[in-house]
Amino acid sequence: MIYNCFRKIFPAIVGLAAAIIMVSCHHKQHFITDADYRAQVEKDFEARKALAAGCADDLFAVMDTSLSLEETEAMQFLYAYMPYSDLADYDGDFFLKQVRYAFAARDTFSWGRTVPEDVFRHFVLVYRVNNENLDTARMFIFNELKDRVKGMSMYDAALEVNHWCHEKVTYRPSDIRTSAPLATIRTGYGRCGEESTLLVTALRAVGIPARQCYTPRWAHTDDNHAWVEVWVDGKWYYLGACEPDAKLNMAWFTIPSTRCMMVHTKAFGRYKGDEEVVRRTGLYSELNLLSHYADTRHITATVQDKDGKPLKDAQVKFKLYNYSEYYTLATMATDADGQASITTGLGDLLVWACKDGNYGYAKIDVRKNDKITLKLTRTEGVEYVENLEINPPMGKFREDDVTDEELAANARRLAYEDSMRNAYLATFPTISTAGVETHDRASLQPNPNLTDKQLQEIIRKCEGNYAEIIKFLNNHADEKLAGEESVVFDLYPDVCHETWEKWNVLYDYLCSFSDKDLRDITADVLEAHCVIPSMIFVGWDYEIYKKGILPARISNEMVRPYRKELLSVFRDFTADSILRWTAENIIVDDTGNYYRCPISPVGVYKLRHADAHSRDIFFIVACRSAGIPAYMDNATEQLFVYDVNKMNWQIVSFAERQEPAKTGKLRLEYHGNADLKPQYWTHFTIAKFNDGDFTSFDYENDPRVASFPATLELEAGYYMLSTGNRYSDGATLSRLEFFVIPEGKTVTKEIVIRPLEARPGENYGKIGNSKFDSPNGNTGLLDLAKEKPLVLCFIDPNREPTKHTLKELGAMKATFDKWGGNILLVIPEDRYTQPFDKSRWNLPKNTIVMVDGSGMQKKVLAESKQYFRDNYPLIFIADKEGNLVFKSEGYRIGTAELIYKTLTQIK
């Protein structure tokens, strides 16, 4: 009897024992199997733990809980190499959830255990993609996608994840702060850096290794671009984020990427892969992936002193013209032979070298040369002008292994995904003459502090975050923040009671946030800063208060609470004592915060380590929290504090100096084409010399340079005015002017944009008078070119390059309206996935939009004998005889201006 019972339960006992053994083995299994590497991680972890002692309770208490050996080692790996922003602003529970969900993905999907340990460690486990605010997207996406991709091949799953991202998000440009993935989903839009951050996060959430790739600057046009590389079955592929194609290694940037001079990515931790390393530190490596996309050459720069002797430890910077400046692609120190080298594309670079304040530079044509020698013979203060012509690499066509049927099927799917996203966007509050109409859980109450127009403006900006904004507004619906009944906030109990009748405090407060802030900020954070402090202590003028105390935002940081926390520390401090305290207590290390995600002010205070930018933000908010007006000039990054005795704004600096900064003035004039007003970054930049190189200011959209003449107050010093003008093939005529601004003097400089010279033989074939149905009836192409040339654009309105061109045409509407010719936008039928809203882009008045269901694109290409494969937008200019005198294809910033320049040259 006993034997029979034992025989029946024996298999269960064996199974239970096996399960216990497996759990035990799993509990004792190393995450890092290389003993030497594991020892290095443990050493680095202990060093990082000591550095983050101010955040120890939040960060490391979780390490004393019941963790498996794998979890412990994974946590040590993350802690050892995470940037300061993550040590300062997140806790151990957050990182443990990241680890456990990464392991859950590994154990859930069939490909999970096929990923090599090092690839998993650096490109699945890691929670951060770039400089985004962190959130719980990994957990959310894992649960969203686990059933959808389970059972797929790794290749098909990667494509499917991108389709899911496209259901949620489409491209729209925005400011430089990178939203968290869930915030991007909530908005429904993201720029390329946000789209790629979302896709990398989503791929890692299902255990597929992924990394964000950047060309930090294009060579053939202005701007940059981010996309994604995904590791599938032992190989890295590329794909456009939130822009699914029928297969991997397909994207609109396939051809533009062949013209790059650099494509890079960061690898978290001590990385030992076989990619070329541009920069290696103890925390991360920057990898050069250019050879995945373009023809390359390894070049070497040799740096010599004025006597021709090799210079060790000189800084060599490989620079590329873009946005009217020479952007540094990579920086390296020379070796004992005075040499530094890099792999780059077959175009022109400006190689810059400096040491001990001396500098030298020269252009290298990488098509012809792989070596260049520089002598550091230039010094600060010499005034001169330098003209350069910079040529990008030639593009190469790469055939896609995809059928027309696969393309058509993918297009149908994209159309359906667009409809899903549009249905979600339709749930946002709508604005009508009757006011604001809201949906589902949010109900907006009347607010005595905002006019109807102001209320509608704020609600329109907040988009998918409307519930949080409405919650905040409703919290203040019964409070009058102006007039004799104004609320006095208890955070500053010593303030005097004042009337606020002439000021719209709540509106000014909300307008101090960026549009992106309103799309992802919470009601609780808005409340934390809504102190609406009165004219604190000394009765500040309202404009000073509005500029230097009211705003919660300083620069490009994610807004978090800080006023109450820092007021308790700095209540009785002066600006000088806050500056001194910060200099003495905050250790600055830019490498330690290598993703350049600004650390929160409270995080800086706790960690006592920061990059210089986060340190500067901390100083400003500490002043504001103490009731001292202060702000950062985000064009020059100078810090200003209001001096109550001198009754003006004073520049302050952490650089050692005994007196306030000495300043002069720069007067900028422009005497060129009145129809093409110079724009900062597009046409010119201003840079200041510091430690052997020039650093550009950021006056984008700054009213101080919105018209000319423009006068800027700047620190006395040595400056460079850079201008540029691009041809349609991407070649650039560059002009650099070096000059001095003396203390107390005004220096006048003209913005000189070198004119493009006519290039003989620019002809792209000829077209006939193909007919189409227009608003004016059956019309021929050449009928539209009778009076003035026709701008003929074949577009894919769903893709980023076309959206850039449409935005530029809208920005130049007045200029094109004055010209008066016709612009025909042709949308191929298979690209027409949703109705095209012409009004959204504010296009020139003579713009005609047609959907091409009759093969006009094929006929134009056949007539002109031009080859084209989906590299939209494809733009021609046709004269009245049908001669195509201009062609632009694919991604190019400044296309609208280039079109206009060409039009003005046609007789």
Side-chain angles (χ1 to χ4, degrees):
M1 180 74 175
I2 296 175
Y3 170 77
N4 289 335
C5 290
F6 181 76
R7 186 176 61 180
K8 291 179 180 179
I9 66 172
F10 180 73
I13 294 173
V14 171
L16 180 59
I20 292 172
I21 292 171
M22 289 178 64
V23 170
S24 177
C25 290
H26 184 72
H27 197 78
K28 296 180 180 179
Q29 180 179 327
H30 282 293
F31 171 63
I32 303 173
T33 57
D34 183 322
D36 292 339
Y37 191 90
R38 187 167 65 246
Q40 181 66 61
V41 170
E42 290 171 354
K43 179 181 178 182
D44 293 339
F45 165 68
E46 291 300 329
R48 211 67 168 162
K49 189 175 180 181
L51 180 147
C55 304
D57 290 343
D58 292 335
L59 282 172
F60 305 120
V62 71
M63 299 296 286
D64 297 327
T65 61
S66 180
L67 305 184
S68 70
L69 183 58
E70 275 197 308
E71 290 172 343
T72 298
E73 291 177 2
M75 290 288 284
Q76 288 177 341
F77 174 76
L78 294 181
Y79 281 136
Y81 307 115
M82 66 177 57
Y84 289 161
S85 57
D86 303 350
L87 290 170
D89 290 329
Y90 303 90
D91 61 28
D93 288 334
F94 175 85
F95 297 117
L96 182 57
K97 287 178 183 177
Q98 297 286 335
V99 167
R100 286 177 170 167
Y101 269 80
F103 288 160
R106 181 194 62 186
D107 297 337
T108 298
F109 303 105
S110 58
W111 53 81
R113 293 288 180 175
T114 70
V115 178
E117 176 187 313
D118 61 334
V119 175
F120 181 90
R121 185 168 61 236
H122 294 282
F123 302 113
V124 175
L125 174 70
V126 176
Y127 53 87
R128 177 174 287 286
V129 179
N130 199 326
N131 59 353
E132 74 276 12
N133 180 48
L134 300 178
D135 63 13
T136 57
R138 185 194 291 265
M139 290 67 93
F140 170 78
I141 295 171
F142 173 81
N143 290 314
E144 279 275 306
L145 289 178
K146 63 180 179 181
D147 294 330
R148 180 163 168 171
V149 301
K150 202 171 183 179
M152 289 184 173
S153 69
M154 197 176 191
Y155 187 101
D156 290 341
L159 291 171
E160 189 65 25
V161 171
N162 203 18
H163 277 288
W164 180 85
C165 290
H166 179 248
E167 292 170 10
K168 306 297 182 184
V169 174
T170 192
Y171 176 80
R172 183 176 66 184
S174 63
D175 64 41
I176 63 172
R177 181 171 69 81
T178 305
S179 292
L182 293 181
T184 302
I185 290 173
R186 186 164 58 248
T187 297
Y189 294 100
R191 57 176 171 79
C192 63
E194 290 162 333
E195 290 179 304
S196 51
T197 294
L198 170 61
L199 177 56
V200 170
T201 302
L203 288 164
R204 291 179 181 179
V206 296
I208 299 177
R211 58 195 185 191
Q212 183 188 59
C213 302
Y214 257 104
T215 180
R217 293 292 187 271
W218 293 110
H220 70 286
T221 184
D222 287 340
D223 214 340
N224 59 11
H225 189 56
W227 60 86
V228 174
E229 283 193 348
V230 58
W231 188 95
V232 174
D233 300 328
K235 179 182 176 181
W236 287 101
Y237 296 82
Y238 67 84
L239 67 166
C242 303
E243 298 175 317
D245 277 287
K247 293 187 176 182
L248 298 178
N249 280 357
M250 283 183 63
W252 64 258
F253 55 83
T254 293
I255 295 175
S257 68
T258 68
R259 307 187 73 183
C260 289
M261 298 294 282
M262 172 64 72
V263 176
H264 67 202
T265 190
K266 282 187 173 70
F268 182 103
R270 295 182 184 271
Y271 182 67
K272 297 184 177 181
D274 57 6
E275 299 93 339
E276 177 181 322
V277 176
V278 178
R279 186 182 187 197
R280 191 187 302 277
T281 74
L283 298 175
Y284 73 98
S285 293
E286 191 166 290
L287 312 180
N288 184 354
L289 307 177
L290 183 62
S291 62
H292 294 190
Y293 304 92
D295 293 337
T296 64
R297 176 168 287 167
H298 198 72
I299 62 172
T300 300
T302 301
V303 182
Q304 301 174 345
D305 64 17
K306 61 182 179 180
D307 299 320
K309 296 179 181 178
L311 270 178
K312 182 183 179 182
D313 293 329
Q315 292 289 305
V316 177
K317 303 184 179 185
F318 298 91
K319 294 174 175 278
L320 174 67
Y321 179 88
N322 188 287
Y323 270 142
S324 295
E325 68 167 356
Y326 284 89
Y327 177 87
T328 300
L329 297 177
T331 302
M332 298 178 179
T334 54
D335 59 20
D337 296 321
Q339 295 185 338
S341 60
I342 192 175
T343 298
T344 188
L346 304 184
D348 292 344
L349 289 177
L350 190 69
V351 185
W352 190 284
C354 55
K355 186 176 183 180
D356 300 331
N358 297 322
Y359 70 98
Y361 61 86
K363 185 183 85 168
I364 182 172
D365 182 345
V366 184
R367 290 172 292 270
K368 300 176 181 178
N369 303 297
D370 61 3
K371 293 180 175 62
I372 189 170
T373 300
L374 303 172
K375 287 189 176 182
L376 305 192
T377 58
R378 297 187 182 275
T379 57
E380 180 177 1
V382 179
E383 298 190 330
Y384 63 99
V385 173
E386 180 96 58
N387 288 331
L388 298 166
E389 181 169 344
I390 304 297
N391 293 285
M394 297 291 292
K396 290 180 64 178
F397 176 74
R398 294 206 301 252
E399 188 71 47
D400 295 322
D401 180 22
V402 62
T403 66
D404 290 341
E405 290 75 15
E406 288 171 326
L407 289 173
N410 191 65
R412 289 192 296 272
R413 186 166 185 188
L414 294 180
Y416 176 68
E417 291 161 2
D418 287 336
S419 69
M420 293 175 66
R421 185 185 340 100
N422 290 335
Y424 165 70
L425 297 177
T427 66
F428 294 179
T430 56
I431 310 298
S432 67
T433 55
V436 180
E437 298 178 12
T438 63
H439 304 272
D440 59 359
R441 63 187 181 280
S443 179
L444 181 63
Q445 301 173 19
N447 196 299
N449 301 290
L450 299 173
T451 66
D452 288 345
K453 184 177 180 180
Q454 291 169 344
L455 195 62
Q456 292 175 17
E457 175 190 341
I458 298 301
I459 296 300
R460 183 184 294 111
K461 288 180 178 180
C462 69
E463 298 181 341
N465 197 41
Y466 62 90
E468 292 294 320
I469 303 304
I470 289 175
K471 177 182 177 182
F472 168 76
L473 290 172
N474 286 348
N475 287 344
H476 297 275
D478 297 327
E479 298 173 346
K480 187 170 176 57
L481 303 179
E484 294 181 359
E485 303 300 322
S486 61
V487 176
V488 178
F489 293 85
D490 58 4
L491 183 58
Y492 293 92
D494 299 329
V495 300
C496 56
H497 290 251
E498 303 220 10
T499 60
W500 293 67
E501 291 179 347
K502 62 179 180 179
W503 303 307
N504 198 331
V505 188
L506 186 62
Y507 178 70
D508 287 341
Y509 172 61
L510 291 170
C511 287
S512 71
F513 294 99
S514 70
D515 289 359
K516 185 174 289 184
D517 290 337
L518 294 177
R519 296 196 294 266
D520 64 10
I521 201 167
T522 67
D524 289 343
V525 172
L526 285 170
E527 288 295 343
H529 288 285
C530 187
V531 294
I532 317 298
S534 188
M535 305 308 153
I536 303 171
F537 308 122
V538 292
W540 300 117
D541 176 83
Y542 183 71
E543 291 304 317
I544 295 169
Y545 152 79
K546 188 170 79 169
K547 185 171 188 174
I549 291 179
L550 179 66
R553 158 164 307 291
I554 309 302
S555 180
N556 64 326
E557 76 278 13
M558 178 75 180
V559 180
R560 292 181 170 92
Y562 60 73
R563 292 192 194 257
K564 185 174 183 180
E565 293 83 354
L566 295 186
L567 174 63
S568 66
V569 177
F570 296 109
R571 176 186 290 274
D572 298 322
F573 280 55
T574 64
D576 286 342
S577 59
I578 293 174
L579 189 74
R580 186 166 55 253
W581 185 97
T582 304
E584 292 172 353
N585 290 277
I586 306 301
I587 299 171
V588 174
D589 172 16
D590 289 336
T591 300
N593 201 35
Y594 56 90
Y595 274 110
R596 301 184 181 278
C597 181
I599 310 167
S600 74
V602 173
V604 171
Y605 180 77
K606 289 161 54 180
L607 190 65
R608 303 297 171 96
H609 290 261
D611 57 286
H613 186 58
S614 297
R615 184 265 325 262
D616 291 349
I617 292 172
F618 171 82
F619 167 74
I620 297 297
V621 304
C623 287
R624 289 183 180 181
S625 299
I628 302 167
Y631 74 93
M632 178 187 294
D633 184 330
N634 284 303
T636 63
E637 296 194 347
Q638 290 174 318
L639 309 180
F640 289 81
V641 171
Y642 192 77
D643 188 322
V644 66
N645 296 316
K646 296 181 179 180
M647 299 298 287
N648 63 9
W649 294 99
Q650 294 286 315
I651 298 174
V652 298
S653 172
F654 286 97
E656 293 184 10
R657 69 164 51 110
Q658 302 300 318
E659 55 188 26
K662 298 179 175 64
T663 64
K665 292 183 179 179
L666 172 63
R667 176 184 166 91
L668 293 172
E669 297 181 348
Y670 174 68
H671 305 294
N673 185 342
D675 290 330
L676 292 175
K677 183 177 66 175
Q679 302 291 318
Y680 199 84
W681 291 124
T682 302
H683 302 103
F684 75 101
T685 57
I686 305 161
K688 188 175 187 298
F689 187 79
N690 180 46
D691 196 23
D693 194 9
F694 289 85
T695 302
S696 297
F697 296 147
D698 184 3
Y699 283 103
E700 184 176 19
N701 300 322
D702 195 308
R704 289 172 289 184
V705 292
S707 60
F708 300 97
T711 301
L712 303 171
E713 184 171 3
L714 299 169
E715 284 190 272
Y718 191 37
Y719 287 84
M720 178 175 70
L721 174 62
S722 173
T723 63
N725 204 358
R726 281 193 190 272
Y727 288 100
S728 60
D729 63 1
T732 301
L733 299 180
S734 165
R735 182 180 188 272
L736 303 175
E737 183 169 4
F738 300 82
F739 60 96
V740 174
I741 298 179
E743 178 190 358
K745 302 291 186 181
T746 298
V747 173
T748 299
K749 292 295 173 184
E750 181 182 354
I751 297 174
V752 178
I753 300 174
R754 296 169 62 190
L756 300 180
E757 299 176 2
R759 291 179 167 181
E762 282 196 318
N763 190 289
Y764 302 97
K766 191 171 184 176
I767 60 173
N769 197 28
S770 297
K771 300 290 185 177
F772 68 99
D773 291 328
S774 76
N776 298 321
N778 193 255
T779 306
L781 291 180
L782 299 188
D783 296 335
L784 298 176
K786 283 182 179 179
E787 301 297 327
K788 294 190 177 181
L790 167 67
V791 180
L792 175 60
C793 309
F794 297 95
I795 64 173
D796 181 350
N798 302 303
R799 294 295 177 108
E800 178 179 340
T802 293
K803 291 179 181 180
H804 277 291
T805 299
L806 294 173
K807 183 180 179 183
E808 291 177 5
L809 287 170
M812 294 185 65
K813 172 179 167 59
T815 300
F816 280 102
D817 285 349
K818 183 178 179 181
W819 165 66
N822 291 303
I823 299 173
L824 177 61
L825 303 182
V826 183
I827 307 174
E829 193 171 40
D830 65 341
R831 306 284 165 165
Y832 189 68
T833 61
Q834 56 183 321
F836 182 80
D837 183 3
K838 180 179 171 181
S839 64
R840 171 187 172 189
W841 302 101
N842 189 38
L843 295 170
K845 62 181 181 181
N846 286 349
T847 300
I848 303 168
V849 180
M850 68 162 288
V851 178
D852 181 15
S854 59
M856 178 184 287
Q857 176 180 299
K858 290 182 178 179
K859 188 172 183 180
V860 166
L861 292 171
E863 291 173 341
S864 61
K865 298 180 173 60
Q866 294 292 313
Y867 182 82
F868 177 72
R869 181 60 185 267
D870 298 335
N871 191 24
Y872 295 100
L874 172 64
I875 303 173
F876 295 108
I877 296 178
D879 65 18
K880 60 185 178 181
E881 282 83 29
N883 297 307
L884 300 179
V885 297
F886 172 91
K887 178 185 176 184
S888 174
E889 181 179 343
Y891 185 92
R892 177 175 285 120
I893 298 298
T895 299
E897 181 178 319
L898 195 57
I899 291 170
Y900 180 74
K901 289 177 182 177
T902 305
L903 291 170
T904 60
Q905 294 172 355
I906 298 174
K907 297 180 180 179

